[in-house]
Amino acid sequence: MKRQRQRLDVGARIDRGQRLAFRFNGKSYEGFSGDTLASALVANGVRLVGRSFKFHRPRGIYSAGMEEPNALVQLGTGAASEPNLRATQVELFDGLEAASVNCWPSVNFDIWSLNDRVSSMLPAGFYYKTFMWPTGLWMRYERAIRAMAGMGRTAREADPDRYDQTNAHCDVLIAGGGPAGLMAALAAGRAGARVILADEQNEFGGRLLSEPEDGETIGGRLAVDWVADARAELAGMAEVRLLPRTTVFGYYDHNFIGLIERVTDHLGGAAPEHLPRQRMWRVRARQVVLATGAIERPLIFAENDRPGIMLAGAARAYLNRYGVQPGEKVLVFTNNDDAYRTALDLNAAGIVVPAVVDLRADPQGSLPARAREAGIEILAGHGVVGTKGRLRVTEARVAPVSDGAVAGPARTISCDAIAMSGGWNPAVHLFSQGQGKLRFEEARGVFLPGNTIQANRSAGACNGAFPLAVCLAEGTEVGALAAADAGFGAPVLALPETKEAEEAPMEVVWQVPSDRPPGKARAFVDFQNDVTTKDVKLAAREGYRSVEHFKRYTTTGMGTDQGKTSNINGVAILASALGEAIPAVGTTTFRPPYTPVSFGAFAGRELHEFYAPIRRTPIHAWHESHGAVFEDVGQWKRPRYYPRAGEGMHAAVRREAIAARSGIGILDASTLGKIDIQGADAAELLNRVYTNAWSKLEVGRCRYGLMLGEDGMVMDDGVTARLAEDHFLMSTTTGNAARVLAWLEEWTQTEWPDMKVHMASATEQWATVSISGPKARNLLAELTGDFDLSPDAFPFMSFREGIVAGVSARVFRISFTGELSFEVNVAARHGLAVWTACMTAGEKYGITPFGTEAMHLLRAEKGFIIVGQDTDGTVTPADLGMDWIVSKKKPDFLGKRSLSRADTLRSGRKRLVGLFTEDPKTVLDEGAQIVAEPRDRPPMKMIGHVTSSYFSPTLDRSIALALIEDGPDRMGQTLHASMPGRTVPVRVTEPVFFDPDGERMRG
Amino acid sequence: MPERYLRQSVLAHLGLESRAVDDPGDAGLVLCERAHLGKVGLRGDPADKAFLAAVEKELGFALPLRPNTVTAGDDVTAFWLGPNEWLLAVIPYEGTPLAEDLVKALAGLHAAATVLTDSRTVIGVSGPAARDVLAKGCPLDLHPSAFPAGSCAQSLLGKADVLIHLHDGGARLDLYVQRSYADYLWRWLEDAGAEFGIAVLGD
């Protein structure tokens, strides 16, 4: 294990008592609690952390935050491995394992860095140009490009981690817990508002965490102590929720905000089992306060991408927050006063600062003055015009610059790091996501929040307010205003005193000139995607004037960092190349997420058993314990068949069907939809929604009904019973229960509001045990003495109420199998008891449970349709040969008008018929296409298809139902069904195969 | 009375009785199945004084007419579900007599009563983390300022439709859920509540 040779001995917000071992690219290192992976790597002197996406150039840690374009790592191994994490955001834990992405075979020797040698052949738009020429080679290029462009790897295995999601509501959501966000939270919290304060860091404080120990004070307290006080006060407020390690990633309409909380990522293997890895928050906020800070803007200069070149604020963060030296000789390069803070802090820590190179001709602020006092050389009116060093920067070439050109000879300054600053860009991402309009300020070259259309306010650095005192003041103001707008008036908070040095104006410089020949020295704009100033200018020359086209053509800002450090510079250089003003070019659209969010977090717990609810009937436990094979019908689990030992599906279905035809079969029909319909107009409602007439149905009787859509196509069917003069119980197909109820509600609420009728879903109130077969009456007689079961006393299509198997029941004498059948309905809580009682009493009759497969076979033998199987939304009653159920007398019913359209009346429609295969053993595939003449060359004319197909044990041959053009006119014809690899001759027949007169079910 | 011993609770297959404790200890989420509560669906026109009077006479108290409010007597609780829809929860379990009495009382009026005892079950939820657990699957604001004690609301919890009733005092919630979604909902609650610790109480 190597010593942390860049680690300072004292200070910073790390715990030197807690050593954490970790591995990076296969080597072992050690860091401290409080480190990020990036700070621990810097502490260990690891400079080279990754390779760029296109040229595979060596790259080092560039930032200390979420804007990092270079230090992308693959974290962990195996199933939980995650690609493309920013090392600057990964909190160090004991046992952490990480590797660079995007380099092969290793970060030190990357074979694809050959791309860098031929970079002139890989200009902007290279990818698109390969589409164009040479023709046909694209597919070959594509494979190679994919291989070298891979950005980390996703795990092959299922993600073993748990992800949580939650909804939340608040009066004020505050994004960002720096000085402005904390003040806003205090102001809103003290007013009594419900507040959520979210910050992506492990602790609140924002940029104050990077202050030196003897740095800024707030209200006479050290900044970090003031932060601790504020945090403690907020934690004590019952209505304030503090969410550290939580990124506000998406700002949607109506102040709907997405947050991602990293609950246990920082704990590694020590994460408690009961906690989710991450939690997504879906927040509805009355008011939003954006206090998202600012992102430092890089200076764009020649050869600016060598490891060791980093943002000045990041260098300061590594020094003060993490106690590591960003280098031993750190050159500072700036166009503003803020970078002097970095120079001063480095100098105070004993790190050599060979010079501050300042693009401004005459920096005279108080911070440069302090630097001069400290003996730091200031090279005013100078710029870095080139650098050297392969795997790390070793020297900078510095020359006088004026009016955008090199104005004198360069000299060489030896250094192992360059801390540079081009100013700060307010983080307006969330504001812009929320459809707020941005405005451009020339003096600092920044986009600022302009008009908003949602209930939000920006405060602090994201609003362009960089001085600490202004951050605090703005935070206080917007926190109080947000609370007031949410209904919580508040006394104005006294502002704590600050003593921050004032900054002199910066000088906006978008591109530092170079003395190197233009073809030789590249200045990178976008580090992740290797976009150079040359590429930007090329895009402008090639006619890409729209910023959105420019972005896609050059891929500026299209990496996983979404151009946090590159977009504004890219836009400015494009504007300059086009000769336009920056606001005229504008920015590309900011879209969620602000930083990448795991797919797992979006999935939440909607996986496996929670992906879709599984609905089970009251009798399910019995089916399960008797070996039923289940089938999904909507969300329901229904027994498909009950195989005995060694029995396959076909044998089981055959046995079950024979039992129902010869003895007794028993079926769980509880899933069928039931709608309770009451009211004086209940019969009239049925008249309007079914094709047949209902007014004259007697109380105690049942009737089959066919329901059509407005287009005249069959929508649902089922049996409805008249329980009382103004009370009906409608049954629907299993899958359509909710749809039919919604259909009835829609019509009665919107078109027929005067109808006196009410509906209620009663599906789940009842368990339905259907007994079917010649012995069904014998069995029922044993279970009830309450009513006369004789055919005359209890005729087909009627119901009786009484005690069955000891409980109150309603028994319908209806049949879907074509056998003598009774459907026993009991309160659901008694379903299992009644089923069991039937099984016990039925044993002597050989009672046999049958599943949906046998049910489908039995009804197909009878030619009974299944809506959704034998119909597909294009089938009219006439197409099914069911004109008999369409009333000619009723003035109207839903779908009636459509039945007289030319198309529904024309000949040539597909109509239901039966099919017999020539070979009775051959069972057709459901869905098989029917042709009249099999020897035609393709394309053949399809004249229909098989809708239902079974082997019928009763008929000892296969049967099928099919929809065939003018089918009923083709009786006896031989047609051909297309099956895989062959055609099967079939004969058209009537669709009722068994007991056409219905003597069995009526008997 | 055979009906009583033949009945089976919706969540019987989960073996909740064997997990039941007397004291939930420091569990953040406390669950129970309130299996044996009668339920009657009631529809009628709130502008019809005869309807309101007939129901009030039968129940002994007036129906709630403000959205998402609840009124109750000794054995019956009435939930506002919609402008012309209520759910009555009835103790004891056999809600049928009440429904039959209501049907008689409402004869001749444009109103309907439907026994729904078995169509839904009730999962009782309490414990300090109860609202946090519900928030994971329910988009409604359940903060006391938006959802005070004694109110009810219909919403989604995970992928199940629920009627949420926050009892007076605000410490106990009842979730009315369709029978066939109860197993899903119970498992969902156990999964969502796992981080807070879970205790099961007897009915």
Side-chain angles (χ1 to χ4, degrees):
Chain A
M1 193 156 303
K2 293 176 183 171
R3 201 172 58 84
Q4 300 180 42
R5 57 192 163 90
Q6 301 289 337
R7 183 76 73 179
L8 301 177
D9 293 333
V10 291
R13 305 190 64 74
I14 46 163
D15 181 355
R16 290 177 179 77
Q18 282 201 57
R19 296 164 177 275
L20 306 174
F22 71 100
R23 288 170 72 79
F24 180 69
N25 285 338
K27 286 190 190 150
S28 296
Y29 300 97
E30 188 184 86
F32 294 130
S33 172
D35 264 326
T36 62
L37 174 58
S39 70
L41 289 172
V42 177
N44 284 284
V46 178
R47 285 299 183 81
L48 178 61
V49 294
R51 292 274 177 169
S52 62
F53 185 65
K54 187 162 139 189
F55 299 138
H56 290 246
R57 286 176 61 87
R59 292 280 164 80
I61 292 167
Y62 191 64
S63 74
M66 56 75 225
E67 68 270 39
E68 178 61 36
N70 291 346
L72 302 179
V73 298
Q74 181 93 23
L75 191 66
T77 54
S81 177
E82 194 171 8
N84 304 334
L85 293 175
R86 295 153 302 283
T88 47
Q89 276 197 307
V90 174
E91 288 182 57
L92 197 66
F93 54 82
D94 200 48
L96 179 149
E97 276 196 49
S100 303
V101 300
N102 221 18
C103 45
W104 186 85
S106 80
V107 71
N108 289 304
F109 175 74
D110 180 335
I111 203 161
W112 297 114
S113 61
L114 287 172
N115 283 358
D116 198 27
R117 302 282 175 83
V118 295
S119 62
S120 61
M121 293 165 64
L122 299 169
F126 162 76
Y127 194 75
Y128 300 100
K129 283 164 181 159
T130 59
F131 287 147
M132 308 302 292
W133 181 88
T135 319
L137 280 184
W138 163 243
M139 294 310 285
R140 231 176 277 176
Y141 283 139
E142 215 265 348
R143 222 169 295 152
I145 291 170
R146 288 267 176 245
M148 51 190 209
M151 293 281 296
R153 302 169 307 278
T154 51
R156 292 281 183 188
E157 305 88 340
D159 188 341
D161 289 316
R162 284 153 43 85
Y163 298 84
D164 192 31
Q165 288 188 347
T166 192
N167 300 289
H169 302 257
C170 64
D171 297 310
V172 184
L173 173 87
I174 301 166
L182 284 169
M183 280 307 279
L186 286 170
R190 286 182 192 167
R194 265 203 283 171
V195 174
I196 294 176
L197 175 62
D199 191 281
E200 64 178 5
Q201 299 277 318
N202 60 328
E203 51 180 335
F204 293 99
R207 61 134 145 158
L208 299 176
L209 300 171
S210 299
E211 285 295 322
E213 297 212 323
D214 58 351
E216 301 302 334
T217 58
I218 299 177
R221 302 268 287 154
L222 276 176
V224 288
D225 293 337
W226 177 84
V227 169
D229 293 348
R231 191 198 182 288
E233 182 184 343
L234 291 167
M237 294 181 182
E239 297 293 351
V240 173
R241 194 190 286 272
L242 297 176
L243 294 174
R245 298 189 173 95
T246 303
T247 303
V248 179
F249 70 81
Y251 195 139
Y252 306 93
D253 286 350
H254 305 288
N255 270 0
F256 182 53
I257 315 286
L259 278 57
I260 182 71
E261 178 188 6
R262 290 168 289 275
V263 182
T264 64
D265 280 2
H266 62 293
L267 299 175
E273 190 69 13
H274 67 282
L275 288 178
R277 180 189 163 216
Q278 296 182 349
R279 187 185 337 263
M280 179 172 289
W281 293 75
R282 292 185 295 244
V283 180
R284 297 261 177 202
R286 285 200 172 84
Q287 298 286 322
V288 169
V289 170
L290 299 170
T292 47
I295 299 167
E296 197 158 29
R297 179 198 304 160
L299 284 168
I300 307 299
F301 56 95
E303 298 159 332
N304 58 343
D305 72 330
R306 300 195 197 285
I309 300 175
M310 63 167 64
L311 296 166
R316 194 161 177 248
Y318 286 116
L319 180 72
N320 294 331
R321 181 172 178 183
Y322 300 109
V324 295
Q325 306 184 51
E328 280 159 20
K329 272 171 85 175
V330 185
L331 185 71
V332 175
F333 181 26
T334 185
N335 64 351
N336 63 72
D337 273 7
D338 183 56
Y340 283 85
R341 294 192 171 96
T342 303
L344 285 163
D345 290 352
L346 289 167
N347 188 59
I351 296 164
V352 177
V353 179
V356 176
V357 179
D358 195 327
L359 287 158
R360 295 172 298 180
D362 187 19
Q364 285 301 339
S366 61
L367 286 161
R370 274 196 223 169
R372 279 188 201 98
E373 280 166 30
I376 300 172
E377 185 183 3
I378 298 177
L379 294 170
H382 279 65
V384 175
V385 296
T387 66
K388 275 195 180 154
R390 198 174 72 83
L391 298 182
R392 59 184 287 181
V393 65
T394 54
E395 63 178 52
R397 294 175 55 260
V398 176
V401 296
S402 71
D403 297 330
V406 175
R411 61 160 146 156
T412 298
I413 297 177
S414 157
C415 59
D416 67 349
I418 299 176
M420 47 92 181
S421 175
W424 291 79
N425 288 321
V428 293
H429 304 68
L430 291 174
F431 176 82
S432 183
Q433 281 181 24
Q435 301 303 308
K437 294 283 172 257
L438 301 178
R439 63 187 171 88
F440 187 73
E441 184 201 286
E442 288 285 345
R444 292 182 290 177
V446 291
F447 284 97
L448 295 170
N451 294 333
T452 182
I453 60 164
Q454 301 211 46
N456 66 32
R457 293 177 172 85
S458 295
C462 73
N463 198 34
F466 298 149
L468 178 56
V470 188
C471 284
L472 296 169
E474 286 197 359
T476 310
E477 188 190 348
V478 303
L481 287 172
D485 282 356
F488 298 85
V492 177
L493 294 191
L495 277 181
E497 192 195 356
T498 57
K499 292 178 178 161
E500 194 184 39
E502 211 171 301
E503 291 182 28
M506 65 179 290
E507 181 181 321
V508 176
V509 176
W510 296 113
Q511 203 187 334
V512 179
S514 173
D515 57 353
R516 305 282 308 276
K520 290 285 178 199
R522 280 173 290 175
F524 286 86
V525 177
D526 186 295
F527 281 52
Q528 206 178 67
N529 282 351
D530 277 336
V531 181
T532 66
T533 51
K534 244 173 68 183
D535 295 322
V536 177
K537 290 167 190 171
L538 176 66
R541 279 203 309 280
E542 291 186 348
Y544 290 88
R545 305 188 68 84
S546 152
V547 68
E548 297 287 357
H549 293 159
F550 148 77
K551 164 185 162 170
R552 285 157 182 81
Y553 189 61
T554 61
T555 69
T556 303
M558 289 178 69
T560 56
D561 63 344
Q562 289 287 288
K564 297 280 187 307
T565 55
S566 65
N567 280 343
I568 306 297
N569 279 328
V571 164
I573 294 166
L574 176 69
S576 155
L578 293 171
E580 287 183 17
I582 290 170
V585 173
T587 63
T588 53
T589 310
F590 293 92
R591 292 194 185 87
Y594 178 61
T595 49
V597 180
S598 302
F599 279 116
F602 282 103
R605 63 169 39 77
E606 293 185 13
L607 299 169
H608 311 302
E609 64 175 314
F610 301 121
Y611 177 70
I614 294 170
R615 304 176 71 182
R616 297 178 177 86
T617 76
I619 308 165
H620 186 89
W622 191 96
H623 306 317
E624 211 165 40
S625 63
H626 289 77
V629 173
F630 291 93
E631 123 173 285
D632 291 333
V633 182
Q635 291 177 325
W636 290 100
K637 289 280 179 205
R638 297 195 69 180
R640 192 174 184 198
Y641 57 97
Y642 301 79
R644 290 181 176 165
E647 205 177 45
M649 181 174 92
H650 293 293
V653 169
R654 178 186 171 86
R655 174 177 52 75
E656 292 170 15
I658 288 171
R661 289 264 183 259
S662 61
I664 305 181
I666 181 168
L667 174 85
D668 181 358
S670 305
T671 62
L672 287 182
K674 295 167 214 53
I675 300 172
D676 190 69
I677 303 174
Q678 297 187 49
D681 292 326
E684 176 57 19
L685 176 67
L686 296 175
N687 278 334
R688 294 188 190 183
V689 299
Y690 279 130
T691 60
N692 49 348
W694 292 81
S695 304
K696 289 179 182 160
L697 182 68
E698 291 167 34
V699 173
R701 301 296 300 235
C702 311
R703 186 165 285 171
Y704 173 80
L706 205 55
M707 200 177 283
L708 308 184
E710 292 150 293
D711 55 5
M713 304 303 155
V714 172
M715 179 179 129
D716 200 65
D717 69 344
V719 170
T720 297
R722 192 165 206 165
L723 305 182
E725 188 58 29
D726 57 358
H727 192 180
F728 291 79
L729 186 67
M730 172 189 282
S731 68
T732 73
T733 55
T734 297
N736 268 346
R739 184 179 165 208
V740 170
L741 179 58
W743 178 248
L744 302 183
E745 287 287 356
E746 183 189 336
W747 282 96
T748 52
Q749 287 183 31
T750 65
E751 301 295 328
W752 309 323
D754 295 334
M755 286 188 86
K756 303 280 187 226
V757 63
H758 289 297
M759 280 75 67
S761 168
T763 304
E764 303 235 30
Q765 172 66 21
W766 304 100
T768 304
V769 177
S770 177
I771 52 175
S772 199
K775 302 278 169 53
R777 185 177 280 121
N778 307 42
L779 172 61
L780 191 57
E782 290 182 33
L783 296 174
T784 182
D786 266 21
F787 42 87
D788 185 349
L789 292 174
S790 65
D792 295 337
F794 188 5
F796 184 58
M797 296 304 273
S798 64
F799 72 88
R800 294 292 178 267
E801 288 172 346
I803 301 292
V804 175
V807 300
S808 302
R810 186 183 286 136
V811 182
F812 296 91
R813 209 193 135 186
I814 56 181
S815 177
F816 194 43
T817 59
E819 292 300 319
L820 171 66
S821 292
F822 299 94
E823 285 196 358
V824 182
N825 283 262
V826 296
R829 63 184 180 273
H830 294 135
L832 187 56
V834 170
W835 177 278
T836 310
C838 289
M839 289 306 298
T840 307
E843 204 178 338
K844 55 186 164 297
Y845 305 111
I847 190 167
T848 302
F850 65 101
T852 51
E853 202 62 34
M855 176 185 82
H856 290 173
L857 159 63
L858 294 165
R859 66 87 206 177
E861 289 174 345
K862 284 289 298 170
F864 293 152
I865 60 152
I866 292 181
V867 173
Q869 174 161 344
D870 301 299
T871 72
D872 59 5
T874 69
V875 179
T876 66
D879 296 338
L880 296 170
M882 293 175 74
D883 320 55
W884 53 268
I885 200 173
V886 180
S887 167
K888 308 288 183 293
K889 292 182 194 151
K890 286 200 298 184
D892 203 2
F893 56 86
L894 293 179
K896 178 181 169 83
R897 187 196 154 281
S898 295
L899 297 182
S900 56
R901 287 190 301 127
D903 184 64
T904 45
L905 292 173
R906 70 179 166 85
S907 65
R909 288 186 63 85
K910 288 179 190 159
R911 302 180 63 187
L912 191 74
V913 291
L915 296 179
F916 279 143
T917 50
E918 263 179 19
D919 171 9
K921 294 272 179 280
T922 300
V923 180
L924 297 172
D925 286 349
E926 286 177 353
Q929 304 292 294
I930 306 293
V931 296
E933 175 49 69
R935 279 187 295 273
D936 275 354
R937 289 173 63 83
M940 290 197 252
K941 178 164 164 45
M942 190 276 278
I943 59 167
H945 64 277
V946 176
T947 61
S948 295
S949 175
Y950 310 89
F951 188 84
S952 162
T954 310
L955 279 68
D956 195 30
R957 62 152 303 129
S958 68
I959 58 168
L961 297 174
L963 285 167
I964 292 175
E965 282 179 13
D966 295 324
D969 303 334
R970 298 178 187 266
M971 285 299 153
Q973 281 184 20
T974 296
L975 302 174
H976 301 269
S978 168
M979 297 270 282
R982 63 189 169 132
T983 53
V984 176
V986 295
R987 182 162 51 82
V988 179
T989 178
E990 293 291 338
V992 182
F993 303 99
F994 180 70
D995 187 25
D997 298 327
E999 284 165 12
R1000 298 172 71 92
M1001 63 185 184
R1002 291 170 203 279
Chain B
M1 184 85 173
E3 301 211 347
R4 220 167 234 288
Y5 63 78
L6 291 174
R7 75 193 183 189
Q8 205 192 24
S9 90
V10 177
L11 296 174
H13 62 288
L14 295 176
L16 301 179
E17 276 162 35
S18 66
R19 291 176 54 192
V21 295
D22 294 329
D23 176 9
D26 58 358
L29 182 69
V30 182
L31 300 173
C32 65
E33 183 189 11
R34 302 189 62 206
H36 303 302
L37 201 60
K39 290 143 221 124
V40 177
L42 181 63
R43 304 288 297 267
D45 180 2
D48 180 352
K49 292 208 167 55
F51 163 74
L52 292 180
V55 175
E56 183 168 353
K57 189 164 172 234
E58 205 57 48
L59 300 181
F61 62 91
L63 285 174
L65 297 182
R66 277 191 302 121
N68 293 350
T69 57
V70 180
T71 54
D74 289 341
D75 300 327
V76 183
T77 308
F79 302 101
W80 185 97
L81 301 185
N84 63 356
E85 187 174 9
W86 295 264
L87 182 73
L88 308 177
V90 191
I91 304 168
Y93 180 47
E94 276 69 29
T96 319
L98 175 71
E100 284 169 358
D101 293 345
L102 276 170
V103 167
K104 278 179 209 143
L106 297 172
L109 296 171
H110 175 36
T114 308
V115 176
L116 295 173
T117 297
D118 290 65
S119 73
R120 303 184 188 197
T121 191
V122 179
I123 297 175
V125 181
S126 56
R131 285 175 200 246
D132 285 337
V133 173
L134 296 200
K136 292 186 179 193
C138 177
L140 292 182
D141 187 356
L142 299 174
H143 188 269
S145 63
F147 191 64
S151 39
C152 70
Q154 295 175 96
S155 187
L156 274 178
L157 189 49
K159 292 181 173 175
D161 287 324
V162 289
L163 168 67
I164 306 171
H165 174 213
L166 180 60
H167 285 269
D168 293 335
R172 256 178 3 111
L173 290 141
D174 278 342
L175 305 175
Y176 289 71
V177 59
Q178 291 273 335
R179 179 185 192 93
S180 64
Y181 286 91
D183 173 81
Y184 161 84
L185 187 64
W186 182 279
R187 292 174 198 268
W188 187 95
L189 286 165
E190 290 220 45
D191 190 68
E195 65 175 291
F196 305 106
I198 293 171
V200 177
L201 296 183
D203 192 353

